[in-house]
Amino acid sequence: MSTSSPIIEFSKVNKWYGEFHVLRDIDLSVAKGERIVVCGPSGSGKSTLIRCINRLEVHQSGTLTVDGTELTDDVKSIEAVRRQVGMVFQQFNLFPHLTVLENLTLAPMWVGKIPKAEAEERAMQQLKRVQIAEQAHKYPLQLSGGQQQRVAIARSLCLTPKIMLFDEPTSALDPEMINEVLDVMVELANQGITMICVTHEMGFARSVADRVIFMDQGQIVEQNTATEFFANPKNERTQDFLSKILAH
Amino acid sequence: MTRSYQQHFEPIAPRKPPTSHTGAMAWLHRHFFDGPFNSFLTILFLALLLWAIPPVFNWTIWYAIPNADNEACRAAQGLGACWGVVAEKGRLILFGRYPYAEQWRPLLASSVLVVLLVVSCLRSFWRPSLVLAWVLVYAFFFALMRGGFAGLTPIETERWGGLPLTLLLASVSLVVAFPLAILLALGRQSDLPAIRTLCVVFIEFVRGVPLISVLFMASFILPLFMPQGTSIDVLVRVLIGMTLFTAAYLAEVIRGGLQALPKGQVEAAHSLGLSYWQIQRMIVLPQALRLVVPSIVNTFIGAFKDTSLVTIVSLYDLTGAVQLALGDADWRKFFIEGQMFVAAIYFIACFAMSRYSQWLESLLNTGTRRQ
Amino acid sequence: MSTPPPPKRQWSWRSQAFRGLLYQILAIVLLALAIAYLMSNTFANMRARGIQSGFDFFLQPAGFGIGESLFDFDSSQNYLVAYLVGLSNTLRVALVGLVLSTLLGTLIGIGRLSHNTLVKVLCTSYVEVTRNVPLLLQLFMWYFAMTELLPSIETPLKPMTDVFLSKNGLQYPIPVWEAGHWGTLLGMGAGVVAASLWKRHARLQFEATGIYKASLLPALGLFVAGGVLGWLLGGAPGQLDIPELTEISVVGGGSVSPEYLTLLIGLTVYTSGYIAEVVRAGIQSVSFGQHEAAVALGLKRSQELRLIQLPQAMRVIIPPLTSQYLNLIKNSSLAVAVGYPDLVSISSTALNQTGRAIECIAFVMLIYLSLSLLTSGAMNIYNRSVQLKDR
């Protein structure tokens, strides 16, 4: 791991939804190329945490710096950050009225100002990477859930982001399709991209994560290397959560 | 490779958000001045309102004449509204050409009908005895309005008018249209091609023509259909026209409900050995109707407004009555006040019904929402 | 594999197919009997009242004048022409009403979703008021405003130079048709062609290089430039028929009657409330996740609207929008209540004159039915073509 400055830095970040204090004094540094899994009970603020990174959520106090740019209301800096951050959603959020290929070339053409031919070539490359190139001309609703999520991953990769965020990417999938998506994520992880993943898939965390973070009630309760985290959870809340999750 | 992370966990108590994001200033900013375009719009509309509201207030309230004083009204014309027109002509507007002395009869009849309508809206009253109540109330309504017994002078239907007529037309056309609409909707879904074609042709024909032409047809052509020598009451003609019209629209609403029902329901019922009519009566219709109750209420709101069209075939419902009332040359100038009075009645009734429809929708959804 | 044996036909009460057939035959026979009964009554009644039947009266002179129309009509022309005038009047008010109510309704629908509370409240109130008061009552109120509250023609309102508004309607300058205007029309046609060529060029450029050239404003500009050029080449005909205020009246210029204005304004205001709701529902139907994905990809708000939200919203908007259009066309039949000579109004005059109720009403219903079926047919085709393709 490099010892240069962190690519994401949370410093005393707080967020409120109305009166509800959803993120409390978050301090977090993510190094370039690091792979992080965030877990915790629902309502703990883990999705909110990663959505702050690409400004889908706005934090009210503290500083959040992504790839050297501090996230404020400045429109230009937000645009710059979003170009470097890709996001995969639980509900895929593919555009149903466009083909798979059009879904992938949309942002490179309209945001990246890349010519159509080059954008399509890039798109086909990414589709091959997630092993779904043969579906390029189908429409999203014609594909299965696992296929759609892989297309969604390919779509965010088309902009060559430095950071990939995953918000419970397999939670909406039928069990037999979870593995095909996890395989793609493992392969991505092995290629050195910075990843932050909110997930319940502990097997994935154990094999891929450099660091596992446990959140509860808006704070980071415990964080450790993957092996240490699962072998010796220190906090009793962590132990409680793990016992529930790993019971099956 | 090991990293040392903070291993001591101290729970943080929740705090209040910083003041720049709450409180009056933030609320104002978010709701009215969120960005330059929105701020411009707020200022523009505020300016328009400030320009328009004082004159409207002056006319409607400040300089208005509340009592039925024709002299004062004329003097104040243009400056203040003449609400006295409502006092003066109110009974004519509300009851049409029904004889003045007998107006307690439509008042009583429509009050009873309105009470029954409101009662029918409450869930606790949804029982079979409600149907009996409706039949009795309608019989009472017709008997009371018509008269001709127990010392009540007979009043022919041409003289019925105003609010009772509106209520009668809207409620009867919906109630009678309902079973007809169910049959049409089921027929349209039927496997038998002749039945299906007949239902489709009827529904598309009625939905494709304006209500006015249906009312004209009812007014002019129905008498020709009657056996020679018999005549058909004006009110009955109009009711038939409105009922057929409402039935076609209601049939489409019910068809929506039938289509929304999962196929598995009918399959399960078939596998239990139930017959077609048993399935419709016990399984399909109860669920399908419940799905579209809000749309049915919307159809009723539409029928309530559509009754205004009977003015064109010379039945003086609420809308027609105000035109009639203000034909009087003395009060002709104050048409607007009379019309606003009637518009307010319609607005209150329809607004209440649409709010009820929303309440009903949320009530029925809480039991059926899928996880 | 052999073919399945043909189904055994059982002519018994227990066979479903037999019962189905029986029911249908029964229904048809009953219907035929009912129709026969009604028709025999009708003929008897008509004979008793001396009413003749048949559509031949359509070719007889109408014997009544029509208050306003697009082309000249006098009472010596036959009923068929009268009906055509009625149809043209209906279309004249309906088509303009459709355009205006769509524009107004779209703005108000978007306004209902605004973050600005003042705008949202105003738009919501507009929708609630226009939808909860019957159209006929609204028409009567507008008619009263037009005929009682506006000044008389001796002292009309002047909202713009040479435009006069009074109890007698709206009078405005209208260009006089000259040969040179063909140049304008041809120029506009050329402008349309040039605009579409430019749009194509801009699109190909964008796909080839990724640089986006604005295409809407230049296209509009080309259209206008073409028209102006054609007008100049046609000799720049500039003669206008300008209404003039004389001692007792306003003379000249194009005009629309207060009845037309009443119907147009009433229909527009009423229908725009419904269209606003349709537009709002369409915009809200696009799930929030689509917005998040667009934002995460870095699309600007205008790009997101154009590429993601509008295409998906249109699918949800078009079908109910079409039924609102049909409602407007059917509602224009209320013209008879304010004295505007539309199709229904003329048919009712003809009915009163000839007594041939069935023919007159049937003809009107046929015309409306054709309009409705045409519009629904076109909408069904459009709907099928834009369906989201799924398994």
Side-chain angles (χ1 to χ4, degrees), chain B residues 31 38 42 194 207-208 224-226 249 305 308 335-336, chain C residues 24 37 41-42 45 48 116-117 128 131 136 144 274 330 372:
Chain B
H31 287 273
N38 272 332
T42 303
R207 277 162 48 102
L224 294 174
F225 285 165
M226 293 288 111
Y249 279 86
K305 290 188 297 173
S308 55
F335 238 113
I336 276 275
Chain C
Q24 291 180 80
Y37 174 69
N41 278 345
T42 309
N45 281 321
N116 188 326
T117 310
E128 289 296 332
R131 280 170 32 127
L136 191 61
F144 177 73
Y274 285 89
K330 288 187 284 179
S372 298

PDB file of all heavy atoms in Angstrom, chain B residues 31 38 42 194 207-208 224-226 249 305 308 335-336, chain C residues 24 37 41-42 45 48 116-117 128 131 136 144 274 330 372:
ATOM      1  N   HIS B  31     -37.706  26.886   0.944  1.00  0.00           N
ATOM      2  CA  HIS B  31     -39.015  26.835   0.306  1.00  0.00           C
ATOM      3  C   HIS B  31     -39.288  27.971  -0.655  1.00  0.00           C
ATOM      4  O   HIS B  31     -40.149  27.861  -1.498  1.00  0.00           O
ATOM      5  CB  HIS B  31     -40.113  26.822   1.381  1.00  0.00           C
ATOM      6  CG  HIS B  31     -40.199  25.517   2.088  1.00  0.00           C
ATOM      7  ND1 HIS B  31     -40.950  24.473   1.619  1.00  0.00           N
ATOM      8  CD2 HIS B  31     -39.609  25.070   3.203  1.00  0.00           C
ATOM      9  CE1 HIS B  31     -40.834  23.451   2.432  1.00  0.00           C
ATOM     10  NE2 HIS B  31     -40.026  23.780   3.396  1.00  0.00           N
ATOM     11  N   ASN B  38     -35.762  30.509  -8.599  1.00  0.00           N
ATOM     12  CA  ASN B  38     -36.867  30.405  -7.639  1.00  0.00           C
ATOM     13  C   ASN B  38     -37.105  31.708  -6.908  1.00  0.00           C
ATOM     14  O   ASN B  38     -38.249  32.090  -6.647  1.00  0.00           O
ATOM     15  CB  ASN B  38     -36.590  29.287  -6.632  1.00  0.00           C
ATOM     16  CG  ASN B  38     -37.089  27.954  -7.146  1.00  0.00           C
ATOM     17  OD1 ASN B  38     -38.031  27.900  -7.917  1.00  0.00           O
ATOM     18  ND2 ASN B  38     -36.453  26.880  -6.719  1.00  0.00           N
ATOM     19  N   THR B  42     -40.539  33.764  -6.803  1.00  0.00           N
ATOM     20  CA  THR B  42     -41.214  34.144  -5.552  1.00  0.00           C
ATOM     21  C   THR B  42     -41.538  35.628  -5.565  1.00  0.00           C
ATOM     22  O   THR B  42     -42.654  36.035  -5.263  1.00  0.00           O
ATOM     23  CB  THR B  42     -40.311  33.828  -4.342  1.00  0.00           C
ATOM     24  OG1 THR B  42     -39.989  32.449  -4.374  1.00  0.00           O
ATOM     25  CG2 THR B  42     -41.019  34.157  -3.054  1.00  0.00           C
ATOM     26  N   ALA B 194     -69.506 -12.997 -29.382  1.00  0.00           N
ATOM     27  CA  ALA B 194     -70.662 -12.124 -29.635  1.00  0.00           C
ATOM     28  C   ALA B 194     -70.886 -11.181 -28.468  1.00  0.00           C
ATOM     29  O   ALA B 194     -71.074  -9.974 -28.653  1.00  0.00           O
ATOM     30  CB  ALA B 194     -71.908 -12.972 -29.873  1.00  0.00           C
ATOM     31  N   ARG B 207     -68.525   6.159 -25.176  1.00  0.00           N
ATOM     32  CA  ARG B 207     -67.395   6.972 -24.765  1.00  0.00           C
ATOM     33  C   ARG B 207     -66.908   7.876 -25.876  1.00  0.00           C
ATOM     34  O   ARG B 207     -66.184   8.829 -25.630  1.00  0.00           O
ATOM     35  CB  ARG B 207     -66.252   6.082 -24.279  1.00  0.00           C
ATOM     36  CG  ARG B 207     -66.424   5.670 -22.821  1.00  0.00           C
ATOM     37  CD  ARG B 207     -65.561   4.490 -22.496  1.00  0.00           C
ATOM     38  NE  ARG B 207     -64.217   4.681 -22.974  1.00  0.00           N
ATOM     39  CZ  ARG B 207     -63.200   5.026 -22.213  1.00  0.00           C
ATOM     40  NH1 ARG B 207     -63.376   5.230 -20.942  1.00  0.00           N
ATOM     41  NH2 ARG B 207     -61.998   5.164 -22.733  1.00  0.00           N
ATOM     42  N   GLY B 208     -67.278   7.579 -27.106  1.00  0.00           N
ATOM     43  CA  GLY B 208     -66.764   8.376 -28.214  1.00  0.00           C
ATOM     44  C   GLY B 208     -67.595   9.598 -28.531  1.00  0.00           C
ATOM     45  O   GLY B 208     -67.179  10.437 -29.312  1.00  0.00           O
ATOM     46  N   LEU B 224     -89.804   8.579 -29.202  1.00  0.00           N
ATOM     47  CA  LEU B 224     -90.193   7.857 -30.410  1.00  0.00           C
ATOM     48  C   LEU B 224     -90.160   6.353 -30.197  1.00  0.00           C
ATOM     49  O   LEU B 224     -90.857   5.611 -30.893  1.00  0.00           O
ATOM     50  CB  LEU B 224     -89.252   8.221 -31.568  1.00  0.00           C
ATOM     51  CG  LEU B 224     -89.326   9.670 -32.058  1.00  0.00           C
ATOM     52  CD1 LEU B 224     -88.250   9.907 -33.102  1.00  0.00           C
ATOM     53  CD2 LEU B 224     -90.695   9.971 -32.632  1.00  0.00           C
ATOM     54  N   PHE B 225     -89.330   5.896 -29.240  1.00  0.00           N
ATOM     55  CA  PHE B 225     -89.235   4.461 -29.013  1.00  0.00           C
ATOM     56  C   PHE B 225     -90.421   3.910 -28.245  1.00  0.00           C
ATOM     57  O   PHE B 225     -90.630   2.707 -28.192  1.00  0.00           O
ATOM     58  CB  PHE B 225     -87.954   4.141 -28.228  1.00  0.00           C
ATOM     59  CG  PHE B 225     -86.694   4.222 -29.043  1.00  0.00           C
ATOM     60  CD1 PHE B 225     -85.456   4.265 -28.405  1.00  0.00           C
ATOM     61  CD2 PHE B 225     -86.717   4.233 -30.414  1.00  0.00           C
ATOM     62  CE1 PHE B 225     -84.287   4.317 -29.139  1.00  0.00           C
ATOM     63  CE2 PHE B 225     -85.557   4.300 -31.161  1.00  0.00           C
ATOM     64  CZ  PHE B 225     -84.325   4.339 -30.513  1.00  0.00           C
ATOM     65  N   MET B 226     -91.149   4.825 -27.614  1.00  0.00           N
ATOM     66  CA  MET B 226     -92.226   4.348 -26.758  1.00  0.00           C
ATOM     67  C   MET B 226     -93.422   3.923 -27.594  1.00  0.00           C
ATOM     68  O   MET B 226     -93.638   4.453 -28.682  1.00  0.00           O
ATOM     69  CB  MET B 226     -92.665   5.468 -25.809  1.00  0.00           C
ATOM     70  CG  MET B 226     -91.616   5.825 -24.805  1.00  0.00           C
ATOM     71  SD  MET B 226     -91.433   4.551 -23.545  1.00  0.00           S
ATOM     72  CE  MET B 226     -89.854   3.909 -23.927  1.00  0.00           C
ATOM     73  N   TYR B 249     -68.506   4.558 -18.808  1.00  0.00           N
ATOM     74  CA  TYR B 249     -67.255   4.980 -18.167  1.00  0.00           C
ATOM     75  C   TYR B 249     -66.946   4.109 -16.964  1.00  0.00           C
ATOM     76  O   TYR B 249     -65.796   3.731 -16.733  1.00  0.00           O
ATOM     77  CB  TYR B 249     -67.348   6.460 -17.753  1.00  0.00           C
ATOM     78  CG  TYR B 249     -67.096   7.396 -18.894  1.00  0.00           C
ATOM     79  CD1 TYR B 249     -68.135   7.771 -19.742  1.00  0.00           C
ATOM     80  CD2 TYR B 249     -65.828   7.884 -19.167  1.00  0.00           C
ATOM     81  CE1 TYR B 249     -67.904   8.605 -20.810  1.00  0.00           C
ATOM     82  CE2 TYR B 249     -65.595   8.725 -20.230  1.00  0.00           C
ATOM     83  CZ  TYR B 249     -66.632   9.080 -21.053  1.00  0.00           C
ATOM     84  OH  TYR B 249     -66.408   9.902 -22.128  1.00  0.00           O
ATOM     85  N   LYS B 305     -70.595  16.643 -11.623  1.00  0.00           N
ATOM     86  CA  LYS B 305     -70.383  17.834 -12.439  1.00  0.00           C
ATOM     87  C   LYS B 305     -71.148  17.758 -13.748  1.00  0.00           C
ATOM     88  O   LYS B 305     -71.658  18.757 -14.248  1.00  0.00           O
ATOM     89  CB  LYS B 305     -68.893  18.022 -12.720  1.00  0.00           C
ATOM     90  CG  LYS B 305     -68.101  18.422 -11.495  1.00  0.00           C
ATOM     91  CD  LYS B 305     -66.675  18.780 -11.827  1.00  0.00           C
ATOM     92  CE  LYS B 305     -65.936  17.603 -12.391  1.00  0.00           C
ATOM     93  NZ  LYS B 305     -64.597  17.957 -12.883  1.00  0.00           N
ATOM     94  N   SER B 308     -74.703  19.167 -14.663  1.00  0.00           N
ATOM     95  CA  SER B 308     -74.956  20.545 -15.070  1.00  0.00           C
ATOM     96  C   SER B 308     -75.437  20.605 -16.523  1.00  0.00           C
ATOM     97  O   SER B 308     -76.106  21.547 -16.914  1.00  0.00           O
ATOM     98  CB  SER B 308     -73.695  21.394 -14.901  1.00  0.00           C
ATOM     99  OG  SER B 308     -72.620  20.810 -15.595  1.00  0.00           O
ATOM    100  N   PHE B 335     -74.999  38.721 -11.789  1.00  0.00           N
ATOM    101  CA  PHE B 335     -74.805  37.346 -12.209  1.00  0.00           C
ATOM    102  C   PHE B 335     -73.601  36.698 -11.547  1.00  0.00           C
ATOM    103  O   PHE B 335     -73.639  35.583 -11.067  1.00  0.00           O
ATOM    104  CB  PHE B 335     -74.558  37.327 -13.726  1.00  0.00           C
ATOM    105  CG  PHE B 335     -75.532  36.494 -14.474  1.00  0.00           C
ATOM    106  CD1 PHE B 335     -76.436  37.047 -15.349  1.00  0.00           C
ATOM    107  CD2 PHE B 335     -75.531  35.120 -14.307  1.00  0.00           C
ATOM    108  CE1 PHE B 335     -77.334  36.274 -16.046  1.00  0.00           C
ATOM    109  CE2 PHE B 335     -76.430  34.329 -15.012  1.00  0.00           C
ATOM    110  CZ  PHE B 335     -77.329  34.917 -15.886  1.00  0.00           C
ATOM    111  N   ILE B 336     -72.491  37.446 -11.550  1.00  0.00           N
ATOM    112  CA  ILE B 336     -71.238  36.888 -11.062  1.00  0.00           C
ATOM    113  C   ILE B 336     -71.362  36.387  -9.636  1.00  0.00           C
ATOM    114  O   ILE B 336     -70.914  35.300  -9.305  1.00  0.00           O
ATOM    115  CB  ILE B 336     -70.103  37.927 -11.167  1.00  0.00           C
ATOM    116  CG1 ILE B 336     -69.518  37.913 -12.581  1.00  0.00           C
ATOM    117  CG2 ILE B 336     -69.008  37.647 -10.187  1.00  0.00           C
ATOM    118  CD1 ILE B 336     -68.455  36.879 -12.820  1.00  0.00           C
TER     119      ILE B 336
ATOM    120  N   GLN C  24     -74.797 -16.925 -26.613  1.00  0.00           N
ATOM    121  CA  GLN C  24     -74.575 -15.885 -27.606  1.00  0.00           C
ATOM    122  C   GLN C  24     -75.771 -15.753 -28.526  1.00  0.00           C
ATOM    123  O   GLN C  24     -76.231 -14.647 -28.828  1.00  0.00           O
ATOM    124  CB  GLN C  24     -73.320 -16.199 -28.419  1.00  0.00           C
ATOM    125  CG  GLN C  24     -72.054 -16.062 -27.593  1.00  0.00           C
ATOM    126  CD  GLN C  24     -70.834 -16.378 -28.406  1.00  0.00           C
ATOM    127  OE1 GLN C  24     -70.365 -15.555 -29.148  1.00  0.00           O
ATOM    128  NE2 GLN C  24     -70.333 -17.603 -28.264  1.00  0.00           N
ATOM    129  N   TYR C  37     -88.663  -4.179 -31.963  1.00  0.00           N
ATOM    130  CA  TYR C  37     -89.766  -3.567 -31.213  1.00  0.00           C
ATOM    131  C   TYR C  37     -89.639  -2.054 -31.194  1.00  0.00           C
ATOM    132  O   TYR C  37     -90.570  -1.322 -31.491  1.00  0.00           O
ATOM    133  CB  TYR C  37     -89.775  -4.136 -29.789  1.00  0.00           C
ATOM    134  CG  TYR C  37     -90.768  -3.468 -28.884  1.00  0.00           C
ATOM    135  CD1 TYR C  37     -92.138  -3.642 -29.073  1.00  0.00           C
ATOM    136  CD2 TYR C  37     -90.346  -2.673 -27.823  1.00  0.00           C
ATOM    137  CE1 TYR C  37     -93.051  -3.028 -28.235  1.00  0.00           C
ATOM    138  CE2 TYR C  37     -91.256  -2.065 -26.984  1.00  0.00           C
ATOM    139  CZ  TYR C  37     -92.611  -2.250 -27.196  1.00  0.00           C
ATOM    140  OH  TYR C  37     -93.505  -1.639 -26.367  1.00  0.00           O
ATOM    141  N   ASN C  41     -92.108   0.805 -33.036  1.00  0.00           N
ATOM    142  CA  ASN C  41     -92.687   1.941 -32.305  1.00  0.00           C
ATOM    143  C   ASN C  41     -92.319   3.255 -32.952  1.00  0.00           C
ATOM    144  O   ASN C  41     -93.138   4.159 -33.115  1.00  0.00           O
ATOM    145  CB  ASN C  41     -92.175   1.947 -30.859  1.00  0.00           C
ATOM    146  CG  ASN C  41     -92.950   1.003 -29.995  1.00  0.00           C
ATOM    147  OD1 ASN C  41     -94.037   0.558 -30.387  1.00  0.00           O
ATOM    148  ND2 ASN C  41     -92.408   0.682 -28.851  1.00  0.00           N
ATOM    149  N   THR C  42     -91.012   3.330 -33.313  1.00  0.00           N
ATOM    150  CA  THR C  42     -90.531   4.580 -33.881  1.00  0.00           C
ATOM    151  C   THR C  42     -91.275   4.914 -35.163  1.00  0.00           C
ATOM    152  O   THR C  42     -91.738   6.045 -35.350  1.00  0.00           O
ATOM    153  CB  THR C  42     -89.028   4.472 -34.183  1.00  0.00           C
ATOM    154  OG1 THR C  42     -88.359   4.001 -33.025  1.00  0.00           O
ATOM    155  CG2 THR C  42     -88.465   5.807 -34.590  1.00  0.00           C
ATOM    156  N   ASN C  45     -94.804   6.043 -34.423  1.00  0.00           N
ATOM    157  CA  ASN C  45     -94.826   7.397 -33.880  1.00  0.00           C
ATOM    158  C   ASN C  45     -94.541   8.435 -34.940  1.00  0.00           C
ATOM    159  O   ASN C  45     -95.160   9.505 -34.982  1.00  0.00           O
ATOM    160  CB  ASN C  45     -93.805   7.526 -32.738  1.00  0.00           C
ATOM    161  CG  ASN C  45     -94.329   6.944 -31.450  1.00  0.00           C
ATOM    162  OD1 ASN C  45     -95.510   7.089 -31.138  1.00  0.00           O
ATOM    163  ND2 ASN C  45     -93.475   6.267 -30.722  1.00  0.00           N
ATOM    164  N   ALA C  48     -97.471   8.906 -37.108  1.00  0.00           N
ATOM    165  CA  ALA C  48     -98.529   9.650 -36.401  1.00  0.00           C
ATOM    166  C   ALA C  48     -98.211  11.135 -36.358  1.00  0.00           C
ATOM    167  O   ALA C  48     -99.105  11.969 -36.435  1.00  0.00           O
ATOM    168  CB  ALA C  48     -98.675   9.100 -34.992  1.00  0.00           C
ATOM    169  N   ASN C 116     -40.317  25.601  -4.964  1.00  0.00           N
ATOM    170  CA  ASN C 116     -40.770  26.896  -4.486  1.00  0.00           C
ATOM    171  C   ASN C 116     -42.201  26.762  -3.992  1.00  0.00           C
ATOM    172  O   ASN C 116     -43.118  26.511  -4.767  1.00  0.00           O
ATOM    173  CB  ASN C 116     -40.676  27.892  -5.646  1.00  0.00           C
ATOM    174  CG  ASN C 116     -40.946  29.310  -5.209  1.00  0.00           C
ATOM    175  OD1 ASN C 116     -41.754  29.552  -4.329  1.00  0.00           O
ATOM    176  ND2 ASN C 116     -40.253  30.244  -5.824  1.00  0.00           N
ATOM    177  N   THR C 117     -42.384  26.956  -2.678  1.00  0.00           N
ATOM    178  CA  THR C 117     -43.705  26.687  -2.088  1.00  0.00           C
ATOM    179  C   THR C 117     -44.780  27.597  -2.643  1.00  0.00           C
ATOM    180  O   THR C 117     -45.923  27.182  -2.828  1.00  0.00           O
ATOM    181  CB  THR C 117     -43.639  26.839  -0.566  1.00  0.00           C
ATOM    182  OG1 THR C 117     -42.541  26.076  -0.099  1.00  0.00           O
ATOM    183  CG2 THR C 117     -44.899  26.341   0.081  1.00  0.00           C
ATOM    184  N   GLU C 128     -57.062  22.598  -8.430  1.00  0.00           N
ATOM    185  CA  GLU C 128     -58.220  22.217  -7.618  1.00  0.00           C
ATOM    186  C   GLU C 128     -59.461  22.999  -7.997  1.00  0.00           C
ATOM    187  O   GLU C 128     -60.552  22.459  -8.113  1.00  0.00           O
ATOM    188  CB  GLU C 128     -57.924  22.433  -6.122  1.00  0.00           C
ATOM    189  CG  GLU C 128     -56.940  21.448  -5.537  1.00  0.00           C
ATOM    190  CD  GLU C 128     -57.460  20.019  -5.562  1.00  0.00           C
ATOM    191  OE1 GLU C 128     -58.678  19.812  -5.517  1.00  0.00           O
ATOM    192  OE2 GLU C 128     -56.616  19.118  -5.632  1.00  0.00           O
ATOM    193  N   ARG C 131     -60.773  21.981 -11.577  1.00  0.00           N
ATOM    194  CA  ARG C 131     -61.293  20.623 -11.710  1.00  0.00           C
ATOM    195  C   ARG C 131     -62.542  20.359 -10.884  1.00  0.00           C
ATOM    196  O   ARG C 131     -63.213  19.364 -11.098  1.00  0.00           O
ATOM    197  CB  ARG C 131     -60.205  19.611 -11.325  1.00  0.00           C
ATOM    198  CG  ARG C 131     -59.244  19.401 -12.465  1.00  0.00           C
ATOM    199  CD  ARG C 131     -58.025  18.621 -12.078  1.00  0.00           C
ATOM    200  NE  ARG C 131     -58.240  17.652 -11.060  1.00  0.00           N
ATOM    201  CZ  ARG C 131     -57.913  16.371 -11.154  1.00  0.00           C
ATOM    202  NH1 ARG C 131     -57.416  15.925 -12.282  1.00  0.00           N
ATOM    203  NH2 ARG C 131     -58.077  15.555 -10.145  1.00  0.00           N
ATOM    204  N   LEU C 136     -69.591  23.688 -17.622  1.00  0.00           N
ATOM    205  CA  LEU C 136     -70.696  24.532 -18.094  1.00  0.00           C
ATOM    206  C   LEU C 136     -70.790  25.799 -17.257  1.00  0.00           C
ATOM    207  O   LEU C 136     -70.956  26.896 -17.783  1.00  0.00           O
ATOM    208  CB  LEU C 136     -71.999  23.747 -18.034  1.00  0.00           C
ATOM    209  CG  LEU C 136     -73.174  24.420 -18.728  1.00  0.00           C
ATOM    210  CD1 LEU C 136     -72.880  24.619 -20.193  1.00  0.00           C
ATOM    211  CD2 LEU C 136     -74.435  23.591 -18.561  1.00  0.00           C
ATOM    212  N   PHE C 144     -70.456  35.561 -19.187  1.00  0.00           N
ATOM    213  CA  PHE C 144     -70.936  36.754 -18.509  1.00  0.00           C
ATOM    214  C   PHE C 144     -69.848  37.809 -18.493  1.00  0.00           C
ATOM    215  O   PHE C 144     -70.107  38.986 -18.769  1.00  0.00           O
ATOM    216  CB  PHE C 144     -71.366  36.393 -17.087  1.00  0.00           C
ATOM    217  CG  PHE C 144     -71.807  37.584 -16.295  1.00  0.00           C
ATOM    218  CD1 PHE C 144     -73.011  38.182 -16.557  1.00  0.00           C
ATOM    219  CD2 PHE C 144     -71.008  38.111 -15.297  1.00  0.00           C
ATOM    220  CE1 PHE C 144     -73.432  39.280 -15.840  1.00  0.00           C
ATOM    221  CE2 PHE C 144     -71.419  39.200 -14.573  1.00  0.00           C
ATOM    222  CZ  PHE C 144     -72.635  39.793 -14.848  1.00  0.00           C
ATOM    223  N   TYR C 274     -56.555  19.459 -15.932  1.00  0.00           N
ATOM    224  CA  TYR C 274     -56.408  18.016 -16.067  1.00  0.00           C
ATOM    225  C   TYR C 274     -55.062  17.652 -16.676  1.00  0.00           C
ATOM    226  O   TYR C 274     -54.410  16.693 -16.254  1.00  0.00           O
ATOM    227  CB  TYR C 274     -57.539  17.449 -16.942  1.00  0.00           C
ATOM    228  CG  TYR C 274     -58.858  17.376 -16.227  1.00  0.00           C
ATOM    229  CD1 TYR C 274     -59.746  18.442 -16.238  1.00  0.00           C
ATOM    230  CD2 TYR C 274     -59.212  16.235 -15.524  1.00  0.00           C
ATOM    231  CE1 TYR C 274     -60.949  18.370 -15.574  1.00  0.00           C
ATOM    232  CE2 TYR C 274     -60.418  16.154 -14.863  1.00  0.00           C
ATOM    233  CZ  TYR C 274     -61.287  17.233 -14.887  1.00  0.00           C
ATOM    234  OH  TYR C 274     -62.476  17.153 -14.229  1.00  0.00           O
ATOM    235  N   LYS C 330     -64.754  16.729 -27.208  1.00  0.00           N
ATOM    236  CA  LYS C 330     -66.151  16.461 -26.884  1.00  0.00           C
ATOM    237  C   LYS C 330     -66.765  17.600 -26.079  1.00  0.00           C
ATOM    238  O   LYS C 330     -67.919  17.953 -26.253  1.00  0.00           O
ATOM    239  CB  LYS C 330     -66.283  15.144 -26.122  1.00  0.00           C
ATOM    240  CG  LYS C 330     -66.040  13.929 -27.004  1.00  0.00           C
ATOM    241  CD  LYS C 330     -66.328  12.661 -26.295  1.00  0.00           C
ATOM    242  CE  LYS C 330     -65.209  12.331 -25.336  1.00  0.00           C
ATOM    243  NZ  LYS C 330     -65.481  11.089 -24.591  1.00  0.00           N
ATOM    244  N   SER C 372     -63.008  10.334 -32.394  1.00  0.00           N
ATOM    245  CA  SER C 372     -62.505   9.596 -31.232  1.00  0.00           C
ATOM    246  C   SER C 372     -61.729   8.367 -31.652  1.00  0.00           C
ATOM    247  O   SER C 372     -60.624   8.129 -31.167  1.00  0.00           O
ATOM    248  CB  SER C 372     -63.671   9.143 -30.346  1.00  0.00           C
ATOM    249  OG  SER C 372     -64.369  10.223 -29.847  1.00  0.00           O
TER     250      SER C 372
END
